[in-house]
Amino acid sequence: MEQLFDDLEDFGSFDDAISGDVRDPYTELARLRREEPVQRLETSGALPHEESLPMFIVYRHEDVQQMLRDNALQQRLPDPPPRKGIHWFWASLTNTANSIMWYMRLGYKPVKFEEMPGWADANMRGKSGEFAGCITVEEMLLMRGDEKAYQRFMQIVHHDKPMEEQKGVRDSFRRAREEVTAESGHDGIVRDATRPGETSGLKELERTVKRPAKFE
């Protein structure tokens, strides 16, 4: 419990240092995203961190994603050599939400040690259990699947479905706005006088995101 309160105090220190008593910090945060997306602080005041090291604050979502990807690449999971038409994937042997059987139902197969001569280290051969003889690193199992099937799956989950959800929200809003306008003569949108032209994210709902040429 004490650790929980200590963590909450750290979050409070972060909030105080970043936004302070500013009621609307978003204007400054937007400026930082444009002009200084990665900020280096030699001294960070109240922010909790290792005092002998500088501190970095990352403001843009895409930069945060890249940082997380880079951090993941530093883990002890080697990249298999590329093969045309094959999608390699390291799956957790302990994840009950997305189990190995779940991935196998999607068409993935565990990779046998003999399938990767000259690449897999002897220590990567599973010694016991259901996946003995397969390539494993700690609690991760190397699996392979069809690249085209993987691309279709990613398109559905990470593009088509989100765009359908966005369209549903947009259509619901349009119907509600039409009803309000018909009854009151006003579209019912509350606008911020200090930010002319902004309509609480409505333009984002109208935006169509192009499907990536390839999902990684």
Side-chain angles (χ1 to χ4, degrees):
M1 184 62 73
E2 290 182 2
Q3 180 63 46
L4 172 61
F5 285 117
D6 289 341
D7 292 342
L8 291 176
E9 288 180 2
D10 288 345
F11 280 115
S13 299
F14 179 83
D15 289 341
D16 290 341
I18 298 302
S19 59
D21 59 357
V22 179
R23 184 173 183 179
D24 179 10
Y26 301 109
T27 300
E28 176 64 12
L29 291 174
R31 183 193 69 77
L32 288 167
R33 283 195 298 272
R34 293 192 306 270
E35 302 176 8
E36 197 176 3
V38 180
Q39 187 179 40
R40 176 181 174 130
L41 303 176
E42 295 296 342
T43 58
S44 61
L47 287 178
H49 79 298
E50 175 56 54
E51 294 183 0
S52 64
L53 299 174
M55 182 171 186
F56 294 86
I57 300 178
V58 182
Y59 290 98
R60 293 193 305 198
H61 178 69
E62 55 268 30
D63 291 331
V64 173
Q65 286 185 312
Q66 184 63 51
M67 180 185 68
L68 293 174
R69 283 195 294 267
D70 291 345
N71 183 63
L73 290 175
Q74 294 175 9
Q75 304 303 315
R76 299 168 60 184
L77 295 177
D79 290 327
R83 287 186 186 175
K84 185 177 181 180
I86 298 296
H87 177 251
W88 304 106
F89 177 72
W90 287 100
S92 171
L93 291 166
T94 59
N95 188 335
T96 57
N98 295 330
S99 66
I100 298 298
M101 291 304 300
W102 184 80
Y103 288 113
M104 293 178 71
R105 286 196 293 269
L106 291 177
Y108 283 90
K109 297 179 180 179
V111 179
K112 295 288 187 180
F113 183 82
E114 291 75 15
E115 296 180 51
M116 307 292 285
W119 177 78
D121 185 272
N123 293 326
M124 298 165 64
R125 181 198 291 268
K127 304 282 192 303
S128 61
E130 183 179 358
F131 300 105
C134 296
I135 296 179
T136 61
V137 174
E138 296 182 358
E139 296 180 344
M140 305 297 289
L141 171 70
L142 182 62
M143 306 189 76
R144 61 179 175 85
D146 180 72
E147 175 66 23
K148 290 183 178 180
Y150 167 75
Q151 292 295 326
R152 287 195 298 270
F153 175 80
M154 294 295 285
Q155 177 182 337
I156 292 171
V157 173
H158 294 288
H159 181 268
D160 296 352
K161 287 294 185 181
M163 293 304 297
E164 289 177 9
E165 293 292 331
Q166 177 177 308
K167 182 179 183 300
V169 173
R170 183 175 64 238
D171 291 347
S172 296
F173 174 82
R174 283 176 174 170
R175 287 192 296 269
R177 183 170 59 180
E178 289 170 359
E179 292 175 2
V180 171
T181 303
E183 293 179 2
S184 65
H186 185 275
D187 61 13
I189 299 175
V190 178
R191 293 175 171 82
D192 188 339
T194 64
R195 300 172 183 171
E198 288 194 17
T199 52
S200 304
L202 298 182
K203 289 184 179 180
E204 287 298 310
L205 285 176
E206 300 290 343
R207 186 167 64 94
T208 300
V209 178
K210 185 179 180 180
R211 178 174 66 86
K214 182 179 180 181
F215 291 92
E216 299 297 333

